[in-house]
């Protein structure tokens, strides 16, 4: 105990000496250095007045550091489908199974001599049947029943008499029966007792559905007219399939010319081509030594591909000359076989393009979201090959809904227009009342052309007097006329001639309209062939949403869609729910891109605005308790939502069709935005001008029902009955219900990108 105390005292004494020495020893610090405490000298800590500025500096550096951003989807450098070489040698080398014929052999009784039974007739078959015929008739001396009777049985829908054994439909086809006739020329005789008393030249008419059938009839009372008995040794015939002699098939003979041949085609086309001819080794487009009528009809249809928004140059096939050197038949056969292959490849390419489009939309940008259609090309070629009108069958690959038909009609009318009579107003023109501008003459000319009859009558004097003095002053009379024109076209009637007014005054050129229709046809192929008798269609460039019921436009309204920096996606889904008095769950992109910079400056911002924050365990937290400087684009520790109420961004209700883009239709407290001409103003969702009307439509309910649900003031969801597709689309040309076509500005510049993709596809295909 004493030793331990002595050791402790020695340690303390040594420490005191060191400290004392440190205090009195001179230092090399500058004269203006601050005095440090003994604790700071021992542990080397910096003075407090130095530590505080460093913390402030760190805080300022955090504030100065820019908040992270979540980037929007991107447009891609489009890569078209690649043409692949199709090796046709596989068709030249494939094995073709020999055809089978069907022969009727007698059933050999047990214990009988097989060879004797088979040799009883020249054909190896002898069938004697008992026949009971109810109607008076005459019979041949020997009731001859040949293999033709089997074909009669196959073609007759009635049930065969009891006791007969027939081959299945797979075993007994018309072709096989024909082969059997050629292989078995000797008839099979049916002998009856009547033959003994019938004169050789006297004929008995046996009906089609009576004794011509090969049968063993059950025992019954004999009819007085004819009675026939069957020897006890004979039993019912058994139909047996046998291989037939080789039948001449021009395709099979000519396929040798495919050895080493290749053609370039899309991957799906090449696979379908080989699959079709493997299963159907015969010509579709060739007959004899020339192309057949079917080929002519289909070539005519391919040449008219432009009428359906495609390009005929993509499906050209060189037709073999009708005149050829008859001494070079092998060369002719080779040419016909290659024509057959090329013809089928181009037909399949047309079917593929007409059904699903030439461009894969998902390769255009992240704003497109479609599952590319699967097309059964083998079945399509089979249908065209068997159709009475092969050309019409090919054209039927295009969509057949009313929208596509209206676009095709508009395109045909535009193609018939000889020349444009355009009125152009210089870009950047801006007219205010009282100003003078030479472009005013073009404004007046455009109003003369595009104004209503009423407007032209009301302002007839103004139109007649304009320009008489040689000046172009924007007078009060002209201002009044422009205001009326603006009212007619849904513009703000302020009398100012700017970009929006000029867009209504000037024409879209015929060439531009045709281009927009072709792009609309391409986009329409991405959608289902049948949009549904009941659906919602949102066209972003038109800023319009339409509820269609029984294929009629039942409700249409203005909408607000995404800004160019927050574009609304192009996709389809199905409406599921209407939610009343909704919460607004703030999307992660808005939190990071818009709220985070504000929260770093003012952490109490969300608390003051009434937002609710919950952590990952569902516990409520205050925004002031979160270090927003540590929040990044990938790590947001809380969920943020805005409760129902007058300030809620979603207004009274929202209509949900859950999708990965977090896009839905909803109300908005910002009603004034619907008065604007250009309404690309949201973060991507679709704001409805008449949300109660749309909710009532999809629910199959009434506006009164919707109002009652909202009036309850609580958050509530109501499922939408049935299946209602919704198409969130992008069409700069789209038909109205009456068939007329409206043209709209390409607000997201997607037309240009789709045009570029089509051009790249065309270039790739034509080499």
């Amino acid at each position: 105990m004493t030793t331990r105390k002595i050791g402790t005292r020695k340690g303390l004494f040594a420490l005191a000496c060191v400290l004392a020495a440190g205090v009195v020893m001179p230092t090399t610090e500058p004269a203006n250095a601050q005095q440090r405490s003994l604790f700071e000298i021992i542990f080397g800590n910096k003075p407090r007045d130095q530590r505080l500025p460093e913390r402030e500096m760190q805080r300022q550096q955090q504030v100065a550091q820019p908040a992270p951003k979540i980037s929007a989807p991107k447009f891609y450098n489009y890569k078209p489908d690649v043409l692949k070489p199709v090796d046709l040698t596989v068709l030249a080398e494939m094995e073709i199974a020999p055809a089978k014929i069907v022969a009727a052999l007698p059933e050999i009784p047990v214990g009988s001599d097989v060879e004797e039974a088979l040799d009883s007739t020249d054909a190896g078959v002898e069938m004697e049947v008992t026949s009971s015929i109810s109607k008076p008739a005459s019979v041949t001396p020997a009731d001859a029943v040949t293999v033709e009777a089997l074909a009669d049985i196959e073609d007759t829908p009635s049930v065969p008499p009891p006791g007969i054994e027939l081959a299945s439909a797979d075993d007994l086809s018309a072709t096989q029966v024909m082969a059997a006739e050629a292989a078995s020329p000797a008839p099979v005789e049916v002998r009856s007792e009547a033959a003994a008393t019938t004169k050789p030249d006297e004929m008995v008419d046996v009906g089609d559905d009576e004794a011509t059938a090969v049968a063993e009839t059950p025992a019954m009372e004999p009819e007085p007219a004819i009675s026939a008995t069957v020897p006890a040794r004979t039993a019912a015939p058994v139909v047996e399939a046998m291989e037939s002699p080789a039948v001449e098939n021009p395709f099979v003979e000519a396929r040798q010319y495919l050895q080493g041949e290749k053609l370039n085609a899309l991957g799906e086309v090449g696979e379908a081509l080989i699959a079709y001819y493997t299963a159907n080794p015969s010509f579709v487009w060739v007959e004899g030594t020339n192309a057949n009528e079917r080929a002519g009809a289909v070539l005519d249809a391919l040449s008219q591909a432009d009428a359906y928004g495609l390009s005929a140059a993509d499906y050209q096939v060189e037709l073999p000359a009708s005149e050829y050197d008859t001494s070079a038949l092998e060369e002719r056969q080779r040419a016909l076989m290659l024509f057959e292959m090329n013809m089928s490849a181009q037909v399949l390419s047309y079917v593929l393009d007409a059904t699903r489009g030439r461009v894969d939309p998902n390769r255009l940008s992240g704003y497109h979201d479609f599952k590319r259609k699967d097309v059964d090309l083998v079945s399509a070629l089979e249908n065209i090959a068997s159709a009475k009108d092969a050309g019409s069958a090919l054209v039927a690959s295009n969509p057949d809904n009313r929208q596509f038909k209206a676009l095709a009609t508009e395109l045909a009318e535009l193609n018939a227009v000889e020349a444009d009579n355009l009125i152009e107003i210089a870009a950047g023109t801006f007219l205010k009342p009282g100003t003078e501008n030479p472009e005013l003459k073009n404004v007046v000319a455009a109003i003369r052309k595009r104004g209503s009859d009423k407007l032209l009558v009301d302002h007839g004097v103004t139109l007649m007097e304009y320009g008489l003095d040689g000046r172009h002053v924007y007078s009060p009379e002209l201002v009044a006329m422009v205001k009326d024109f603006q009212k007619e076209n849904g513009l703000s009637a302020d009398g100012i001639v700017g970009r929006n007014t000029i867009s209504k005054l000037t024409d879209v050129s015929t060439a531009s309209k045709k281009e927009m229709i072709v792009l609309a046809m391409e986009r329409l192929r991405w959608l289902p062939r049948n949009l549904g008798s009941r659906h919602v269609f949102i066209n972003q460039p038109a800023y319009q949403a339409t509820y269609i019921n029984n294929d009629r436009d039942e409700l249409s309204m203005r909408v607000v869609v995404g800004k160019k920096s927050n574009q609304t996606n192009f996709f389809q889904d199905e409406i599921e729910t209407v939610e009343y008095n909704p919460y607004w769950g703030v999307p992660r992109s808005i939190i990071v891109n818009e709220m985070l910079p504000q929260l770093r400056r003012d952490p109490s911002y969300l608390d003051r605005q009434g937002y609710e924050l919950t952590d990952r365990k569902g516990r409520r937290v205050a925004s002031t308790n979160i270090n927003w400087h540590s929040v990044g684009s990938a790590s947001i520790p809380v969920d943020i939502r805005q409760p129902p109420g007058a300030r809620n961004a979603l207004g009274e209700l929202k209509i949900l069709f859950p999708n990965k883009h977090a896009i839905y239709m909803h109300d908005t407290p910002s009603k004034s935005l619907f008065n604007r001409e250009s309404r690309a103003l949201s973060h991507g969702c679709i704001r409805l001008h008449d949300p109660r009307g749309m909710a009532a439509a999809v629910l199959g309910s009434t506006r009164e029902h919707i109002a009652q649900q909202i009036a309850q003031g609580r958050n509530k969801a109501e499922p939408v009955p049935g299946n209602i597709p919704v198409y969130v689309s992008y069409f700069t040309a789209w038909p109205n219900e009456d068939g007329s076509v409206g043209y709209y500005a390409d607000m997201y510049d997607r037309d240009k990108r789709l045009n570029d993709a089509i051009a790249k596809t065309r270039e790739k295909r034509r080499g």
Side-chain angles (χ1 to χ4, degrees), residues 305-506:
D306 294 73
Y308 301 95
L310 300 174
S311 177
D314 290 340
Y315 315 107
Q316 289 182 342
V317 183
E318 185 176 353
L319 185 68
S322 57
E323 297 182 0
Y324 60 93
D325 185 357
T326 56
S327 64
L329 289 180
E330 286 193 4
E331 289 301 318
R332 181 65 175 179
Q333 286 182 316
R334 179 188 300 276
L336 290 172
M337 178 57 83
L338 294 179
F339 166 74
E340 174 80 15
M341 295 294 108
N342 284 315
M343 185 74 176
S344 291
Q346 296 294 40
V347 165
L348 292 172
S349 296
Y350 181 100
V351 171
L352 199 64
D353 293 344
T355 303
R356 74 179 190 186
R358 291 167 287 179
V359 172
D360 183 349
N362 291 350
R363 295 187 211 158
L364 286 171
S365 77
Y367 294 109
H368 295 79
D369 182 13
F370 290 96
K371 181 182 183 299
R372 206 170 192 194
K373 295 178 182 176
D374 295 322
V375 185
D376 188 346
L377 293 177
V378 174
S379 295
L381 186 52
E382 289 174 348
N383 292 336
I384 294 169
S386 62
K388 291 183 179 179
D389 186 347
S392 297
L394 176 65
V395 172
S397 303
N398 291 289
D400 61 352
N401 50 56
R402 66 177 172 91
Q403 292 85 359
F404 191 89
K405 291 177 181 177
L407 291 171
T409 300
E410 176 82 351
L411 183 59
E413 293 176 356
L414 291 174
N415 285 329
V417 175
E418 294 183 359
D420 286 321
N421 182 19
L422 297 178
I423 297 173
E424 296 183 354
I425 300 174
T429 297
F430 189 79
L431 300 179
K432 284 187 174 183
T435 60
E436 185 172 357
N437 192 313
E439 286 300 316
L440 186 60
K441 66 179 183 296
N442 293 326
V443 172
V444 173
I447 291 177
R448 281 196 180 104
K449 181 179 180 180
R450 302 182 67 85
S452 67
D453 292 340
K454 182 179 183 304
L455 184 145
L456 297 179
V457 170
D458 292 344
H459 300 277
V461 175
T462 302
L463 290 170
M464 286 189 298
E465 293 180 348
Y466 171 74
L468 295 178
D469 58 358
R471 299 182 61 190
H472 304 288
V473 178
Y474 193 20
S475 65
E477 293 79 12
L478 291 174
V479 172
M481 182 178 67
V482 168
K483 286 183 177 180
D484 285 349
F485 178 84
Q486 290 172 329
K487 289 178 183 177
E488 285 186 350
N489 289 272
L491 302 173
S492 299
D494 55 10
I496 297 174
V497 180
R499 184 180 59 182
N500 292 335
T501 301
I502 290 173
S503 68
K504 293 294 184 180
L505 287 168
T506 54

Side-chain angles (χ1 to χ4, degrees), residues 662-673:
I663 289 176
Y664 45 86
M665 296 183 284
H666 64 86
D667 182 24
T668 177
S670 304
K671 305 293 186 183
S672 62
L673 297 180

Side-chain angles (χ1 to χ4, degrees), residues 566-583:
N566 298 96
Q567 298 181 22
T568 302
N569 294 69
F570 187 1
F571 67 104
Q572 66 185 73
D573 215 291
E574 195 169 282
I575 299 174
E576 296 184 7
T577 310
V578 173
E579 185 176 336
Y580 307 105
N581 303 305
Y583 285 88

Side-chain angles (χ1 to χ4, degrees), residues 93-175:
E93 297 177 348
M94 69 178 180
E95 293 185 3
I96 299 178
K100 292 187 177 182
I101 65 170
V102 178
L105 299 178
E107 184 176 301
I108 310 302
V110 178
S112 300
D113 190 319
V114 176
E115 293 185 3
E116 181 181 349
L118 293 177
D119 293 339
S120 58
T121 65
D122 292 339
V125 179
E126 179 173 325
M127 294 176 286
E128 296 181 65
V129 301
T130 300
S131 178
S132 179
I133 304 176
S134 58
K135 59 184 178 182
S138 59
V139 298
T140 58
D143 301 352
V145 180
T146 66
V147 179
E148 293 172 356
L150 297 176
D152 292 339
I153 293 171
E154 179 178 333
D155 295 337
T156 303
S158 58
V159 179
I164 189 168
E165 297 184 30
L166 296 178
S168 66
D170 293 334
D171 295 330
L172 186 58
S173 66
T175 304

